Amino acid sequence: MAKWTPRHEAPEPLEGPIVGTIVGGTILWFVLFLVQIPFYNWFDERDLMWWVWTCLAGAGLGLIGIWYVRGRDVAIKRAKTAESATAPAAADGPARSEPGARGDESAVPGSKPGSPSDEPVVPRDDSSPPPV
């Protein structure tokens, strides 16, 4: 059986009023639960009690969802604020650093970006022969 591979890139996620959407859905689940309460015996006689409890579970999970998306929204806004605060410093140009300083991947041949080197980088004098 062939492994499934995507033929195109995934689209960017849609951003919108996520908190409002979750709050609206939670309210809808709770209203449906309240509408079914007067018909509790009808659902019980037909063995359909799961309808009532599904609506209550939807409202409960919606409350967890509200807590989650509000925290996510705050984190996104905090990241944008931090990004905009550091953007003017980055717009002035890259900070000059000595060769071999952390974050300067071009100074250390063969190093991987983001992986700190355990050994200090010592500049070589080209007039001396390479070590054997």
Side-chain angles (χ1 to χ4, degrees):
M1 181 174 198
K3 184 177 177 181
W4 180 82
T5 55
R7 298 183 191 269
H8 54 81
E9 291 186 31
E12 291 292 320
L14 296 175
E15 292 294 329
I18 299 171
V19 176
T21 303
I22 301 300
V23 169
T26 303
I27 291 171
L28 181 65
W29 279 114
F30 191 68
V31 166
L32 288 172
F33 171 73
L34 292 177
V35 166
Q36 291 177 355
I37 292 297
F39 304 102
Y40 186 85
N41 288 333
W42 186 88
F43 286 110
D44 192 27
E45 290 169 0
R46 287 160 180 79
D47 206 21
L48 297 173
M49 287 301 299
W50 65 272
W51 285 17
V52 177
W53 302 124
T54 299
C55 293
L56 186 61
L61 290 172
L63 291 175
I64 295 170
I66 292 169
W67 171 76
Y68 178 81
V69 296
R70 287 185 70 201
R72 178 185 178 270
D73 199 34
V74 168
I76 289 171
K77 288 178 182 175
R78 187 182 319 127
K80 284 183 181 178
T81 304
E83 184 179 298
S84 65
T86 58
D92 295 339
R96 303 214 60 175
S97 62
E98 296 180 20
R102 284 187 186 241
D104 187 11
E105 289 85 15
S106 62
V108 184
S111 69
K112 295 180 183 175
S115 64
S117 174
D118 294 333
E119 299 178 16
V121 177
V122 180
R124 288 191 351 192
D125 183 16
D126 289 337
S127 62
S128 64
V132 178

